[in-house]
């Protein structure tokens, strides 16, 4: 294989002519013959035993050449790329120019290449870094969630229903004295305050005792889903069978032992604070890194081939599909479920694709300009980190990511670190929002507007190749 010519035909497009020798072609033809001869029948010879020359006389001299050329040109093209400084961003268009048993063959590869990017100012970028602080209320909210998970549900008999209780009731609804479909249930569990029934229904159960039989008067809302019930007053006959209350564990050392590996509530609180602060610190770092990179991206100039954006979109769509598969759903079903189509779905990734492509080009340009490269030690350390993260053998990790690609990723990460070192960072405390004072409302007459039980909705199951650093 030899490169006979290379020329730039337009912005980001290079044409390369490559020659393959007659000897290489002959060897490839011999391999094709050995592979295909067993399928060719020639009178006077057992199947697979006819000499190559006989088959060529019978079927023509080019019987094996086309397959030989198809076997050779991908390898020749890859080798030509290795020998040149050309970096393609898409599959090349291949055109066979000539084929001759005596001289070999030549072909032309039309290649869309990585664009040349002009950087704007990237040193001394001024950004604001917001410092987030964990509030005591956030820790107590997390403690409350832990208490909720450890709550006990107990029956109570010595008091009437209050908000927050769960009740077991029978009910039957009537409109104009006639029972309506879907308005009856026995032994139904209803949490008071859950708003799972129409407004006012649950409020009228409060204050009743076990064994009470009573009426609940409601009015269906005008936007109610059942046409025949919209805006209609209704009466529900209720019988109260049971009252249950949720008993939360005390906030003490026993709670800490039950819900964590800590022996005291103070130790648990300290651990919650530490983990929350770490998350807030990561958020802070991610935000100002993103601001720096966005400023760099905004300053670059260059004509970027549209195919780079298209290929990035394809990659992001595939990643989304893989995540869906891990949750038991495929992309086609997801699109049907959301009422979308592939064209619109791809379009939803357009902005993100453009940003990622420009960001990568900018970081690569900075790494090249500043001489930021990955050493062998860097590469080995990253393979080790990936192996530990995914709990696989290091050699297996090396099979997933080519060293060249990994070194480029490391160089880009070094470029981000360089940008952060060079940036002018102003730290500020997180601004706390204060709720505006509300004007007092005029007293409102209670209006009986309870509603029939809403039919429960089917529970929806929610439908990172890791994102490049600073993309979050």
């Amino acid at each position: 294989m030899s490169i006979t010519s290379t020329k730039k035909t337009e912005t980001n497009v290079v044409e390369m002519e490559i020659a393959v020798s007659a000897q290489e072609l002959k060897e490839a033809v011999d391999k094709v013959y050995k592979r295909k001869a067993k399928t060719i029948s020639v009178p006077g010879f057992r199947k697979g035993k006819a000499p190559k020359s006989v088959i060529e006389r019978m079927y023509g001299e080019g019987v094996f050449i086309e397959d030989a050329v198809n076997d050779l040109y991908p390898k020749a093209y890859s080798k030509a790329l290795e020998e040149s400084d050309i970096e393609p961003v898409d599959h090349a268009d291949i055109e066979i120019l000539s084929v001759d048993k005596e001289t070999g063959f030549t072909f032309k590869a039309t290649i869309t290449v990585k664009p040349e990017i002009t950087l704007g100012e990237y040193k001394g970028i001024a950004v604001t870094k917001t410092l987030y602080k964990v509030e005591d209320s956030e820790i107590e909210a997390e403690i409350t969630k832990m208490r909720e998970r450890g709550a006990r549900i107990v029956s109570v008999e010595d008091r009437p229903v209050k908000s927050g209780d769960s009740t077991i009731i029978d009910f039957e609804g009537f409109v104009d004295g006639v029972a309506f479909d879907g308005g009856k249930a026995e032994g139904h569990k209803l949490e008071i305050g859950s708003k799972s029934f129409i407004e006012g229904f649950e409020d009228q159960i409060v204050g009743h005792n076990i064994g009470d039989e009573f009426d609940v008067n409601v009015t269906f809302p005008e936007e109610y889903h059942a046409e025949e019930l919209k805006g209609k007053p209704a009466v529900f006959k209720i019988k109260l069978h049971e009252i249950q209350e949720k008993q939360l564990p005390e906030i003490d050392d026993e709670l800490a032992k039950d819900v964590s590996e800590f022996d005291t509530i103070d130790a648990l609180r300290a651990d919650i604070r530490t983990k929350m602060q770490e998350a807030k610190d990561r958020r802070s770092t991610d935000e100002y890194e993103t601001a720096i990179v966005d400023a760099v991206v905004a300053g670059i100039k260059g004509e970027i081939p549209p195919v780079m954006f298209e290929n990035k979109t394809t990659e992001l769509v595939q990643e989304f599909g893989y995540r869906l598969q891990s949750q038991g759903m495929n992309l086609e079903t997801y699109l049907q479920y959301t009422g979308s189509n592939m064209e619109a779905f791809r379009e939803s990734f357009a902005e993100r694709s453009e940003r990622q492509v420009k960001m990568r080009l900018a970081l690569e340009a900075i790494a090249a300009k500043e001489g930021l490269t990955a050493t062998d030690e860097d590469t080995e350390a990253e393979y080790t980190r990936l192996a530990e993260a995914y709990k696989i053998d290091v050699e297996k990790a090396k099979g997933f990511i080519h060293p060249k690609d990994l070194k480029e990723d490391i160089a880009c990460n070094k470029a981000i670190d360089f940008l952060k070192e060079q940036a002018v960072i102003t730290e500020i405390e997180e601004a706390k929002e204060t709720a505006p004072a509300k004007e007092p409302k005029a007293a409102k007459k209670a209006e009986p507007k309870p509603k029939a039980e809403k039919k429960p909705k089917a529970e929806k199951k929610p439908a990172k190749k890791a994102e490049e650093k600073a993309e979050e």
Side-chain angles (χ1 to χ4, degrees):
M1 184 284 304
S2 62
I3 301 171
T4 58
S5 71
T6 302
K7 61 182 179 180
K8 187 174 182 178
T9 58
E10 55 185 282
T11 306
N12 303 320
V13 177
V14 170
E15 282 186 359
M16 179 187 289
E17 289 191 11
I18 302 164
V20 178
S21 69
Q23 180 60 33
E24 291 174 288
L25 180 59
K26 178 183 180 304
E27 291 172 358
V29 166
D30 290 341
K31 289 179 181 177
V32 174
Y33 160 68
K34 291 176 183 177
R35 189 170 72 235
K36 297 187 69 174
K38 55 188 176 184
T39 65
I40 299 174
S41 297
V42 177
F45 294 91
R46 284 183 299 163
K47 200 167 187 177
K49 298 298 181 181
K52 180 161 70 74
S53 58
V54 173
I55 296 174
E56 288 177 334
R57 284 198 302 271
M58 184 173 181
Y59 291 98
E61 284 193 358
V63 62
F64 300 121
I65 287 182
E66 182 177 353
D67 284 345
V69 168
N70 287 335
D71 286 349
L72 279 174
Y73 85 76
K75 299 174 185 175
Y77 172 65
S78 295
K79 190 174 180 183
L81 289 179
E82 289 176 7
E83 293 182 4
S84 67
D85 292 328
I86 293 174
E87 191 170 358
V89 295
D90 196 24
H91 299 296
D93 290 330
I94 303 296
E95 180 186 353
I96 306 299
L97 300 177
S98 65
V99 181
D100 189 295
K101 287 177 66 177
E102 303 302 322
T103 59
F105 76 92
T106 61
F107 66 95
K108 179 175 69 177
T110 302
I111 310 163
T112 303
V113 298
K114 187 171 288 189
E116 294 180 3
I117 292 298
T118 302
L119 291 165
E121 186 57 58
Y122 62 89
K123 295 179 182 178
I125 293 174
V127 293
T128 299
K129 180 180 180 181
T130 303
L131 304 179
Y132 299 100
K133 180 183 175 184
V134 177
E135 301 295 333
D136 292 343
S137 59
E138 295 175 280
I139 297 173
E140 295 313 308
E142 186 61 28
I143 294 286
T144 298
K145 290 178 185 177
M146 294 177 173
R147 295 178 73 201
E148 291 281 353
R149 290 195 289 269
R152 293 191 311 126
I153 304 298
V154 298
S155 294
V156 294
E157 300 179 353
D158 57 350
R159 64 166 176 80
V161 176
K162 64 180 182 181
S163 183
D165 286 344
S166 289
T167 59
I168 306 297
I169 60 171
D170 298 340
F171 64 82
E172 184 172 14
F174 298 84
V175 170
D176 297 330
V178 179
F180 54 87
D181 290 340
K184 181 178 181 178
E186 294 181 354
H188 181 82
K189 186 170 184 176
L190 173 63
E191 182 181 341
I192 307 303
S194 65
K195 298 184 179 179
S196 56
F197 278 46
I198 32 185
E199 186 180 348
F201 187 102
E202 296 166 23
D203 295 340
Q204 296 180 59
I205 297 176
V206 172
H208 286 283
N209 292 287
I210 294 172
D212 285 358
E213 296 185 32
F214 53 95
D215 291 348
V216 165
N217 295 285
V218 298
T219 300
F220 284 99
E222 294 293 340
E223 67 276 11
Y224 196 69
H225 61 84
E227 191 68 34
E228 69 278 9
L229 298 176
K230 288 182 176 181
K232 295 287 184 68
V235 176
F236 282 84
K237 302 290 184 183
I238 310 292
K239 183 169 183 179
L240 178 59
H241 291 290
E242 189 175 348
I243 304 171
Q244 300 173 337
E245 70 176 5
K246 185 186 292 183
Q247 291 185 348
L248 300 178
E250 293 296 324
I251 303 177
D252 55 18
D253 292 347
E254 290 305 313
L255 173 65
K257 292 174 184 176
D258 288 342
V259 301
S260 73
E261 70 273 26
F262 299 101
D263 293 328
T264 68
I265 193 67
D266 289 342
L268 175 58
R269 280 196 173 100
D271 182 66
I272 293 172
R273 183 181 294 277
T274 297
K275 289 175 178 174
M276 283 186 169
Q277 191 60 58
E278 287 172 351
K280 285 177 179 283
D281 291 346
R282 285 193 297 271
R283 174 188 172 186
S284 178
T285 299
D286 289 344
E287 287 178 350
Y288 91 86
E289 279 185 1
T290 298
I292 294 171
V293 174
D294 283 347
V296 173
V297 167
I300 67 171
K301 293 180 181 178
E303 189 175 328
I304 301 173
V307 70
M308 294 187 73
F309 301 133
E310 288 297 315
N311 289 346
K312 176 55 71 172
T313 294
T314 297
E315 180 184 319
L316 294 176
V317 168
Q318 288 174 343
E319 289 174 0
F320 190 91
Y322 295 148
R323 289 197 295 272
L324 285 179
Q325 287 176 5
S326 70
Q327 298 173 21
M329 183 186 289
N330 59 45
L331 186 54
E332 183 180 351
T333 303
Y334 174 83
L335 293 177
Q336 291 174 351
Y337 183 75
T338 56
S340 185
N341 57 56
M342 183 55 74
E343 183 179 356
F345 186 65
R346 286 180 63 86
E347 182 60 30
S348 70
F349 285 95
E351 185 177 338
R352 184 176 169 192
S353 297
E354 181 176 348
R355 182 184 185 277
Q356 286 198 11
V357 168
K358 289 181 177 180
M359 178 175 69
R360 182 73 177 202
L361 290 171
L363 293 175
E364 287 176 347
I366 292 169
K369 192 169 182 178
E370 298 296 334
L372 305 172
T373 59
T375 64
D376 291 340
E377 290 78 10
D378 292 333
T379 307
E380 285 301 315
E382 184 62 10
Y383 274 129
T384 300
R385 188 191 69 79
L386 290 171
E388 290 173 353
Y390 292 100
K391 295 180 173 56
I392 57 175
D393 185 75
V394 172
E395 292 306 313
K396 193 171 184 180
K398 291 180 178 180
F400 290 147
I401 307 176
H402 194 279
K404 179 177 180 293
D405 295 330
L406 189 63
K407 287 186 176 185
E408 289 176 354
D409 289 345
I410 293 170
C412 286
N413 286 337
K414 287 187 175 185
I416 291 176
D417 292 338
F418 176 83
L419 290 172
K420 288 160 61 178
E421 291 168 3
Q422 296 291 318
V424 178
I425 301 169
T426 302
E427 294 185 345
I428 61 171
E429 296 286 340
E430 177 187 13
K432 299 298 179 184
E433 293 184 6
T434 54
K438 294 183 179 178
E439 294 184 11
K441 292 184 178 179
K444 196 175 174 184
K445 248 185 182 177
E447 205 173 284
K449 292 202 301 186
K451 41 183 174 177
E453 178 187 9
K454 293 180 182 176
K455 291 184 179 178
K457 293 182 180 178
E459 184 180 345
K460 295 181 184 177
K461 291 184 179 178
K464 230 170 212 161
K465 197 176 173 168
E467 294 300 338
E468 295 174 34
K469 193 173 181 184
E471 169 57 20
E472 292 300 329

